[in-house]
Amino acid sequence: MIHYRIVISDPHTHLVDVTLEADIEGAVDLVLPAWTPGSYKIRDFAQHIHGFHSTRRFEKIDKNTWRVHAGAGRLRATWQAYCHELTVRTSHVDDEHAALVTSNMLMYIDGRKDEPCRLEVRAPRGWKIACALDAAGPGIFKAPNYDVLVDAPVECGDFQEFTFNAGGKPHRFIWRGDSNLDLKRLRRELPKIVQAEIDMMRAVPYERYLFILHFTDDGKGGGLEHLNSTSLAFSRWGFRPEEKHERFLGLVSHEFFHLWNVKRLRPQVLGPFDYEKENYTTLLWAMEGVTAYYDDLFLRRAGLIAPSKYLKILAETIDRVQDTPGRARQSLSDSSFDAWIKFYNPGEHTPNATVSYYEKGSLVALLLDLEIRRRTKGRRSLDTVLRLLWSEYAAKGIGFPEGRYEEACSDVAGASLHGFFEKYIRGTEELNYNRYLAAAGLRLVAKPAKEGEPSVKSWLGFRTEKKEGRTLVTGVIAESPAQRAGLHAGDELLALGGHKVDHESWEKRLEERRAGERVELAYFRGSRLRRCRASVGSKKSGGCAIERLPAANAAQRAIYSSWMGAPWEKKAGK
Ligand SMILES: [Zn+2]
């Protein structure tokens, strides 16, 4: 048994005191993870570790590793961790609460990650402590091994909560502070989401589940999945209007579904982990994209959004992917593999050279689901694939080999899907939406422009941000009029057509120009004033929509209805 203790005695300093005790006689290495599972980027958490001491002689042998020499009896090591970054992957401690992502601060004993662990958390008087691990007393938790131990964030403070049962297991939702989240409504909606996901997977592989929500004041948000819990961050006043509330439900639905997809149903490389370096897989699209596909679909199946709303969400995702030139440059497999250095390090060239394994992955999941439904006449679906992999691997506590995912899809479809994977997952062929949407009696059409708006918009192909009152170019689309005219990321835009513009106004001024017209741009590059002439391009406005085929046959209608969880007959808009 490895004993850990985290003491929060001076929370206003953002420091916590950590102790590790274990019966060890020989020399051992104590290692702090360099990354936290679910967030695929090396973050070197050891930068926040200070004041390491040990009852034995020790030396640091690399950035994450403290070597403790042999000695008699029990080893005791102590250190401090500085926690002042409130994100779902980092820890935050102040005089109001402590959000502990324990992979940031608990070292493992190299070679002994499989041993049972005990964690004691000592929080200031009056603070509550929540964690999804098995409890062994107030503030004391147990885990069968290190992986489980650090896959359970700890929240301490004066939080509020509600609880409910689903699948015979207790679920707890905690939050702290003011916001414009309609909690009464969430209390009705969350159990429905949980039930829809349990109904699909037909397995409840946990004893309890904990949702931890932090409200942010910088507008940022996100979620991180854990074995039996999730950390969610959402903008404090960002839950309205309705669409924003639905985005939040989508986030909750997404993170909860990860308890199956990625936490348990996973490729072999995603657990047990190597915490010291990158863990590569070509299947993040299947972990994140498939989860992103299901998150909104579960809202539909739970009856929380209408079919028309669901189709609108899909169409908006298609618009974003089709607006990303990088979809022709990077495959989903490559996007997955390079997540560590590309997706998690976005920059000026990102849209030109990469594609999101979340967004394109969710669309490929849609196409795959519809293809399996078509080939099996609606008898099977992507749900069946996940349940198959569940019973073959996840239910036994093991990951699947990388190649098994495609095989499982083919097995369930009753035909080889090799061509599909070659084109759309390992290749960069344009997704043929209509071919697959037809299975459910649907088609993709260009959405007419809003009344009073032109059907095509003038376009130059660059983006800007406002920084300290300046309008800076943040990226230029490959082969766009702006790129041909010589504009760069980093240029400071000053004028368009001889008149001063800024971040808010330049696109409006551009709308007054016709396609083919030449327009002069004035900008600073560094300290030099420069001018260029760009030939105004055009872009269709309005995006796309998904609509029903008027002549859909009975088979198409049946697939629509079982996929959508709603009868075909209902009028659009319901
Ligand atoms: Zn995710």
Side-chain angles (χ1 to χ4, degrees):
M1 175 86 80
I2 319 285
H3 292 254
Y4 294 94
R5 188 163 58 236
I6 299 173
V7 180
I8 309 161
S9 46
D10 297 305
H12 63 283
T13 65
H14 318 299
L15 287 165
V16 299
D17 293 294
V18 182
T19 304
L20 177 154
E21 285 186 42
D23 289 318
I24 292 172
E25 298 202 338
V28 286
D29 287 343
L30 304 185
V31 188
L32 190 76
W35 66 288
T36 198
S39 184
Y40 304 100
K41 183 176 179 174
I42 297 296
R43 294 183 193 273
D44 290 331
F45 297 123
Q47 66 186 294
H48 299 302
I49 301 299
H50 308 283
F52 184 93
H53 287 289
S54 163
T55 47
R56 306 210 193 133
R57 200 160 57 80
F58 68 89
E59 65 203 333
K60 207 171 170 194
I61 59 165
D62 68 29
K63 62 182 180 178
N64 307 312
T65 310
W66 286 257
R67 176 159 294 165
V68 179
H69 291 270
R74 202 165 166 82
L75 164 72
R76 186 167 187 272
T78 59
W79 59 88
Q80 286 192 310
Y82 187 75
C83 311
H84 197 204
E85 191 182 357
L86 186 61
T87 74
V88 296
R89 57 192 172 262
T90 52
S91 298
H92 185 260
V93 176
D94 67 12
D95 56 8
E96 295 184 333
H97 84 134
L100 308 176
V101 177
T102 52
S103 56
N104 297 177
M105 63 190 70
L106 299 184
M107 298 181 195
Y108 59 87
I109 300 173
D110 198 21
R112 295 180 60 174
K113 286 207 293 279
D114 292 336
E115 285 184 33
C117 305
R118 182 182 186 274
L119 170 65
E120 180 185 352
V121 179
R122 287 194 199 158
R125 192 192 309 262
W127 285 20
K128 294 189 279 186
I129 301 173
C131 176
L133 292 174
D134 292 338
I140 298 172
F141 302 95
K142 292 182 305 184
N145 55 51
Y146 179 83
D147 291 290
V148 173
L149 176 75
V150 294
D151 207 356
V154 181
E155 178 71 20
C156 311
D158 183 22
F159 48 78
Q160 293 175 273
E161 62 189 278
F162 67 79
T163 57
F164 61 93
N165 275 292
K169 302 288 166 64
H171 298 70
R172 184 182 188 192
F173 185 96
I174 68 172
W175 74 94
R176 188 179 60 86
D178 299 327
S179 76
N180 63 354
L181 170 60
D182 185 343
L183 281 148
K184 250 171 100 179
R185 186 175 156 192
L186 183 68
R187 281 179 92 128
R188 291 193 307 272
E189 294 167 329
L190 185 55
K192 292 182 184 170
I193 296 170
V194 166
Q195 193 59 52
E197 302 195 14
I198 291 173
D199 289 347
M200 194 282 243
M201 289 307 296
R202 301 175 189 168
V204 189
Y206 52 90
E207 287 309 309
R208 68 194 72 80
Y209 193 90
L210 172 66
F211 299 89
I212 302 169
L213 172 61
H214 292 124
F215 299 125
T216 64
D217 292 307
D218 60 5
K220 290 188 183 153
L224 191 63
E225 66 276 8
H226 296 281
L227 202 56
N228 303 320
S229 55
T230 180
S231 281
L232 307 160
F234 210 81
S235 178
R236 187 184 301 280
W237 308 111
F239 295 88
R240 286 187 199 146
E242 177 63 20
E243 308 251 312
K244 299 278 186 61
H245 183 85
E246 286 167 1
R247 285 302 84 221
F248 175 67
L249 294 183
L251 173 69
V252 178
S253 170
H254 180 102
E255 301 306 334
F256 185 69
F257 192 55
H258 272 316
L259 84 87
W260 292 279
N261 201 35
V262 91
K263 290 316 315 181
R264 292 174 173 86
L265 199 164
R266 60 176 193 265
Q268 282 160 346
V269 69
L270 292 184
F273 301 102
D274 183 335
Y275 292 100
E276 290 195 80
K277 60 177 175 29
E278 294 83 353
N279 292 215
Y280 296 104
T281 172
T282 58
L283 288 172
L284 279 188
W285 71 269
M287 301 295 99
E288 290 300 346
V290 168
T291 301
Y293 167 57
Y294 277 105
D295 58 24
D296 291 320
L297 189 56
F298 284 128
L299 301 188
R300 166 79 286 278
R301 289 180 181 175
L304 299 175
I305 57 173
S308 58
K309 172 51 83 63
Y310 180 61
L311 294 179
K312 183 165 178 266
I313 292 171
L314 287 180
E316 286 166 356
T317 308
I318 292 173
D319 280 339
R320 286 193 299 274
V321 169
Q322 294 307 116
D323 209 23
T324 305
R327 73 188 189 284
R329 303 288 299 277
Q330 189 189 42
S331 70
L332 279 180
S333 298
D334 290 346
S335 175
S336 299
F337 193 86
D338 277 338
W340 300 84
I341 52 167
K342 292 192 174 171
F343 184 83
Y344 275 89
N345 281 320
E348 61 190 51
H349 194 49
T350 296
N352 290 331
T354 71
V355 72
S356 161
Y357 52 82
Y358 282 81
E359 295 217 301
K360 187 181 170 190
S362 75
L363 295 177
V364 164
L366 164 72
L367 270 45
L368 195 54
D369 192 11
L370 294 176
E371 177 67 357
I372 294 170
R373 288 171 189 267
R374 184 185 69 80
R375 284 178 179 271
T376 61
K377 299 190 166 50
R379 285 191 301 273
R380 292 166 162 196
S381 67
L382 192 57
D383 298 9
T384 325
V385 174
L386 298 197
R387 288 194 295 260
L388 173 67
L389 289 168
W390 180 266
S391 62
E392 284 181 343
Y393 297 93
K396 298 170 187 160
I398 51 175
F400 51 80
E402 291 265 315
R404 182 60 192 142
Y405 207 85
E406 179 189 324
E407 280 173 20
C409 290
S410 296
D411 289 351
V412 167
S416 170
L417 293 178
H418 185 72
F420 183 99
F421 275 72
E422 280 294 307
K423 281 191 295 191
Y424 299 141
I425 291 162
R426 290 184 287 273
T428 56
E429 197 165 302
E430 195 77 286
L431 299 183
N432 186 344
Y433 300 104
N434 278 331
R435 173 176 166 183
Y436 297 92
L437 285 171
L442 298 169
R443 69 179 173 195
L444 191 69
V445 293
K447 195 164 64 182
K450 281 188 194 141
E451 232 183 274
E453 279 184 21
S455 58
V456 289
K457 267 184 156 175
S458 301
W459 180 74
L460 287 174
F462 66 94
R463 307 177 296 280
T464 58
E465 67 171 0
K466 192 173 171 177
K467 202 169 179 187
E468 291 156 5
R470 302 187 303 155
T471 303
L472 297 179
V473 176
T474 53
V476 178
I477 297 295
E479 288 157 41
S480 64
Q483 192 184 57
R484 280 193 289 269
L487 206 63
H488 287 188
D491 289 343
E492 180 188 352
L493 184 66
L494 301 171
L496 188 147
H499 289 271
K500 185 178 174 184
V501 288
D502 59 18
H503 177 68
E504 285 83 17
S505 67
W506 72 264
E507 283 181 287
K508 286 195 191 73
R509 303 304 308 276
L510 180 64
E511 278 172 27
E512 292 151 15
R513 304 290 178 142
R514 288 233 178 82
E517 238 180 89
R518 307 274 293 171
V519 63
E520 187 192 73
L521 299 171
Y523 56 94
F524 279 130
R525 177 165 299 162
S527 61
R528 280 174 306 136
L529 176 65
R530 294 181 51 144
R531 288 188 174 82
C532 67
R533 288 178 76 78
S535 170
V536 177
S538 65
K539 202 173 190 182
K540 288 189 85 172
S541 61
C544 69
I546 297 174
E547 62 173 35
R548 295 151 185 247
L549 291 166
N553 61 29
Q556 290 169 314
R557 290 169 185 222
I559 286 178
Y560 170 92
S561 151
S562 66
W563 166 67
M564 185 64 92
W568 173 272
E569 286 73 25
K570 245 185 184 175
K571 286 229 162 61
K574 291 280 167 55

